[in-house]
Amino acid sequence: MTRRTTVLVAGTALLLFFGVLGTLLPVPFVAQVPGPTYNTLGDIDGTPIISVEGREPNDVSGNLNLTTVGIPQDQLTLVGAVQGWLDDEVVVVPREQIYPPDRSVEETQAENRQAFLTSEQAARGAALAELGYPEAVVLQELAEDSASEGRLEAGDAIDAVDGTPTPDLDALSAVLADTPPGTSVVVDYRRGGEPGTTTVTTSPAAEGEGSALGVLVLQTPYAPFDVGIEVADVGGPSAGLMLALGIVDLVGDTDLTGGAVVAGTGTIDTEGVVGPIGGIPLKLVAAREIGAEVFLVPAENCAEALQNPQEGLPTARVATLDDALTALEDLRAGRTPTPC
C-alpha cells in the first residue's frame, strides 16, 4: 500500500474505533426529556386520577394536565450526551444533580414519590379550603397495633374526646395529655359527614405524659365525602397546583376549563401558595405537543419560561391557587390571562 492509502485506512479505523467507543462509554450525566402529561380530570388505564366518593362529581369538560420531566433509564453515553447538548428538547445535567451520591437510585425515587404523596395532601387541603370547607382534626392513618383499630378509620374527623371538643390539634393534644394511659374514652367523630361515637382504650403517649389514640392526624379542611388521588410512577411535588385545580373542578360548581386544554405545573401548600419547580423548558414542550391553549407557570419560574418560549403556547403567571382560578376564568371569558 502507498503511504496515502495507509493513512486513510488507519484514520478510518481510528474514527470507527472512537465512534464505537463513544456509543459505549458511559458519562456521569443524565438526560432529561419532556415527560408524559396526565389530565387530572381523566384516568390512567381506567383508574380515575381524582376520585370522589360520597357524592357525585361535577360534569366537567376540557383538560387540566399536569406535566412531567422524563429521565431515560439507559446509561447515558458520550455520543448520547453530545446529541443531547445539541437538542433543544433535551437537557443534560450532572448525574449527582438528579441522583445524589449519598443515596441509591431506589432511595432517591422513594423520596421523590413521598414528595408527590405529600403534595397530594396539600392539594386536597388547598382545594377544599378554596371551596369553603372548614378545618377539622382528620385521621390520616392508624399506627401499628393502634388502640383505635376497628373503631376509627382514615378520613374520620375527630370532634371530641370524652365530651371535650377537639376542633384543632392543640385541643386534641391537651385532652390526651390529661388522660392516663389505659383509660377508656368516648370519641365523637364524623365519617362521610355522618356523626358517630366509639370507645377507645388509650395507649401510652410516645413522648411525654398522657396517652394516645394510636392515630396520625392532620388539621385540614374536612368535607363529607372522600377525595382520592392515584397517579402511579410520578414523583416530586410539582403536580400540586394541577391536582388542586382538578379537585376544585370536580367538586366545585364551575366547569373551570370551559372545554379548553390547559396544562401547568407548580407546587402548592395548604394555604394555596404556588411554588417554583424544575424542568420548565421541557414541560412547556410537553404542553405544546398536546395542543395546550395556555400553560400555568409558577410566578418564580416566569423568567425561565420567557427564555424558552414555545410557539403557539401562551403562558399565565400564577403565584396562588386564586391566580390560577382567575386565569381560567379569563380563558373561559375570552380574555387573555396575565402572562409571564
Side-chain angles (χ1 to χ4, degrees):
M1 289 192 290
T2 67
R3 179 177 296 177
R4 181 177 180 181
T5 302
T6 302
V7 170
L8 286 173
V9 170
T12 300
L14 285 173
L15 285 174
L16 289 173
F17 172 75
F18 285 113
V20 172
L21 184 64
T23 63
L24 299 176
L25 183 65
V27 292
F29 292 91
V30 171
Q32 296 179 306
V33 298
T37 74
Y38 300 101
N39 179 17
T40 60
L41 304 177
D43 59 65
I44 299 175
D45 297 329
T47 300
I49 290 178
I50 299 173
S51 59
V52 182
E53 297 182 7
R55 60 154 285 176
E56 283 295 316
N58 294 331
D59 289 330
V60 297
S61 60
N63 285 45
L64 286 168
N65 280 57
L66 65 88
T67 50
T68 68
V69 172
I71 301 178
Q73 295 305 302
D74 293 339
Q75 175 68 55
L76 191 65
T77 65
L78 179 59
V79 169
V82 172
Q83 290 174 335
W85 282 318
L86 298 175
D87 191 332
D88 291 338
E89 297 185 4
V90 177
V91 175
V92 178
V93 298
R95 184 175 179 81
E96 62 266 20
Q97 185 173 318
I98 306 298
Y99 301 111
D102 60 339
R103 292 190 290 276
S104 68
V105 171
E106 292 74 20
E107 288 173 334
T108 299
Q109 291 172 338
E111 289 177 6
N112 288 338
R113 184 60 183 169
Q114 184 57 50
F116 177 84
L117 298 177
T118 300
S119 77
E120 285 186 7
Q121 288 184 332
R124 190 182 293 109
L128 294 180
E130 179 68 35
L131 293 169
Y133 289 98
E135 285 192 349
V137 176
V138 183
L139 196 158
Q140 303 299 301
E141 61 180 286
L142 298 173
E144 188 175 353
D145 298 325
S146 171
S148 297
E149 182 73 43
R151 295 172 173 81
L152 297 173
E153 298 178 1
D156 290 348
I158 300 176
D159 292 327
V161 175
D162 263 356
T164 300
T166 54
D168 52 43
L169 293 176
D170 289 341
L172 178 61
S173 297
V175 69
L176 290 175
D178 291 336
T179 302
T183 302
S184 292
V185 296
V186 176
V187 179
D188 297 324
Y189 64 90
R190 280 171 290 158
R191 181 176 299 160
E194 297 296 324
T197 301
T198 191
T199 300
V200 176
T201 301
T202 64
S203 55
E207 297 180 3
E209 299 180 354
S211 58
L213 297 176
V215 297
L216 176 64
V217 294
L218 187 67
Q219 186 173 323
T220 187
Y222 174 80
F225 50 83
D226 292 329
V227 176
I229 298 173
E230 182 59 45
V231 188
D233 301 325
V234 174
S238 65
L241 170 63
M242 302 310 293
L243 291 172
L245 288 171
I247 295 170
V248 172
D249 207 0
L250 288 167
V251 301
D253 55 9
T254 302
D255 180 3
L256 295 184
T257 69
V261 177
V262 177
T265 187
T267 66
I268 200 165
D269 65 17
T270 54
E271 303 298 318
V273 176
V274 175
I277 51 78
I280 275 287
L282 299 174
K283 292 179 178 181
L284 286 166
V285 171
R288 184 206 67 206
E289 290 177 347
I290 64 167
E293 296 168 54
V294 68
F295 189 90
L296 305 179
V297 180
E300 293 181 53
N301 288 120
C302 268
E304 188 179 10
L306 290 172
Q307 293 172 356
N308 297 273
Q310 293 296 312
E311 185 177 356
L313 178 62
T315 61
R317 179 187 184 277
V318 297
T320 64
L321 179 57
D322 282 340
D323 287 346
L325 292 170
T326 297
L328 295 178
E329 181 181 354
D330 288 339
L331 188 67
R332 294 194 305 275
R335 299 187 296 265
T336 300
T338 302
C340 278

